[in-house]
Amino acid sequence: MNDLRILASHPIQYQVPLFRELADRGVQIDVGYYHQGMAGKSALDVGFGIEVKWDIDLLGGYPYQIFLNTSATYRLLEQLRVAPKILLWSLRNQRTPLLLIGWFVELVWLVWLMRILLGVPVIVMGDNTPQSFGLFPKPAWKVAVLRWLLKHTSAVLFFGKRNRDFWRSVGVADERLFHTPYAVDVVRFAASAKHLMPQRDKVCTQFGLDPELPTFCFCGKLIPKKHPLELLEAYDSAGLGEKAQLIYVGDGILRPRLEQRIQELKLNHVHILGFMNQSQMPKAYILGEVLCLISDPSETWGLVVNEAMACSRPVLVSDAVGCAPDLVDETNGWVVPANDPVALARTLRQAYEERHTWEEKGRQSLKKISRYTYSAMADGVQAALQSLDPAGFPHKSSH
């Protein structure tokens, strides 16, 4: 099969390159977006807490249609209004497989069910882990419905070990699982980092940083699940206040509290640089020499880790971060127990003491992440497509 319809919530910078890769390979894709999101316009990003307009193209290079030309609220009335268009689109040409990227509204469940009842192939991609799925109690009926839908789904794509464990836990057999390693644009990040690295001292000066101080970096939304305050406290407890810099690239609800705590602790080498757009992100990883991501289990992967590794940076992550078992070990970073401030401070201190290894760990990061590409993701999608027989279910001999 070489046709594929894709239903996604809205244009997302980490998904669009996969669609372009599939289109470039000759796969006849048709992407349907529930809503427009921030593609080509400014909108309030709730996580960052500011108006954002992405500075990269999210709509070029592949065919698409948008069902709601506004940012969505996902309210039931809104779903009912758009349901006829999405159902007609999703059921047109019933021989064409449909890739569902998550189940972001109840309407997706209806699309999923209708295609199964009509015997039409469905492929599912989602980033759940057992840890994230178990964070909040769910009605038994809802879990049972999910299991039934997945039992009748033709193929399921998994990003990494914990994502695969989730699919297995809800009854997906191994022969219907296909690896699509979660990716960022490794080539773009690596090339930008290589270009910027000789200019690091100058760039540090532009941002008011000391280029001589070892620098730890947080990149992302300043929100509770990412524990930016806990990172600050651990940095202080580790005695690094005068020995190393800590920079925050991002914005969000915790910024005022973070600024207040920096003043209270008199930490002169902690800097909040604010939001950086997509094209600027390689600069963030050049300024910061070690990325720190100590999120809770709701961080189902953590693509900033991919980005930092593509920029040849070592990484320090909590063991709750979804990508930890796939991307981080002693060769390219440090894994610390989640919600353990003593262990975090100890690990930050260890990383500082091992700063002579940062360059080699960075090389190992780039080597490891070079396998996590959109080409590899597209390979997984195509393997899932090739496993389908005309009725939309896996061949008995499929992988």
Side-chain angles (χ1 to χ4, degrees), residues 31-283:
V31 180
Y33 288 121
Y34 181 76
H35 67 93
Q36 183 176 351
M38 292 181 288
K41 67 172 188 174
S42 297
L44 176 67
D45 186 290
V46 176
F48 284 120
I50 59 173
E51 194 90 0
V52 171
K53 182 178 181 180
W54 298 121
D55 64 356
I56 57 174
D57 177 22
L58 296 179
L59 296 175
Y62 65 99
Y64 69 91
Q65 54 186 296
I66 297 170
F67 298 108
L68 279 171
N69 291 319
T70 60
S71 294
T73 58
Y74 299 132
R75 286 194 293 257
L76 188 57
L77 283 176
E78 178 185 79
Q79 293 183 53
L80 289 173
R81 181 160 57 89
V82 78
K85 289 190 290 185
I86 292 182
L87 284 169
L88 284 172
W89 171 84
S90 65
L91 296 174
R92 190 186 312 134
N93 188 355
Q94 295 181 10
R95 291 176 59 86
T96 300
L98 173 67
L99 169 58
L100 296 176
I101 301 186
W103 42 89
F104 45 92
V105 287
E106 290 84 352
L107 179 56
V108 173
W109 294 65
L110 178 59
V111 170
W112 198 353
L113 174 63
M114 290 291 291
R115 286 183 67 97
I116 287 173
L117 293 177
L118 292 170
V120 187
V122 178
I123 302 171
V124 171
M125 172 190 287
D127 61 359
N128 297 81
T129 68
Q131 295 82 359
S132 70
F133 195 70
L135 278 177
F136 304 103
K138 295 171 181 60
W141 68 265
K142 194 169 187 178
V143 177
V145 170
L146 177 62
R147 283 178 170 273
W148 186 90
L149 290 169
L150 286 168
K151 180 180 179 181
H152 295 86
T153 294
S154 307
V156 174
L157 310 176
F158 71 94
F159 295 139
K161 294 175 182 176
R162 287 183 178 161
N163 188 216
R164 180 184 60 196
D165 290 345
F166 167 73
W167 296 124
R168 286 172 169 171
S169 74
V170 289
V172 179
D174 282 353
E175 61 266 19
R176 289 188 291 124
L177 286 169
F178 297 84
H179 190 204
T180 50
Y182 220 173
V184 300
D185 191 341
V186 173
V187 173
R188 176 172 71 87
F189 277 92
S192 295
K194 185 177 180 180
H195 171 72
L196 288 167
M197 190 64 75
Q199 309 170 44
R200 183 176 185 273
D201 287 4
K202 179 181 177 181
V203 178
C204 282
T205 303
Q206 289 173 352
F207 282 89
L209 306 179
D210 184 345
E212 299 300 319
L213 281 179
T215 305
F216 295 91
C217 178
F218 172 101
C219 289
K221 297 174 181 177
L222 301 176
I223 55 178
K225 84 169 192 177
K226 294 181 182 288
H227 299 299
L229 282 163
E230 288 80 353
L231 177 62
L232 180 72
E233 298 289 349
Y235 162 85
D236 181 58
S237 298
L240 298 179
E242 297 300 323
K243 298 177 179 181
Q245 290 176 130
L246 173 60
I247 63 173
Y248 288 85
V249 178
D251 216 319
I253 191 172
L254 292 179
R255 180 167 182 165
R257 177 64 182 133
L258 197 61
E259 291 172 332
Q260 177 186 353
R261 193 65 181 135
I262 290 167
Q263 289 183 344
E264 290 171 354
L265 295 171
K266 298 181 172 60
L267 295 172
N268 297 321
H269 297 300
V270 179
H271 306 268
I272 302 177
L273 305 187
F275 172 79
M276 287 190 185
N277 218 314
Q278 284 297 294
S279 67
Q280 298 174 293
M281 285 309 295
K283 188 178 293 185

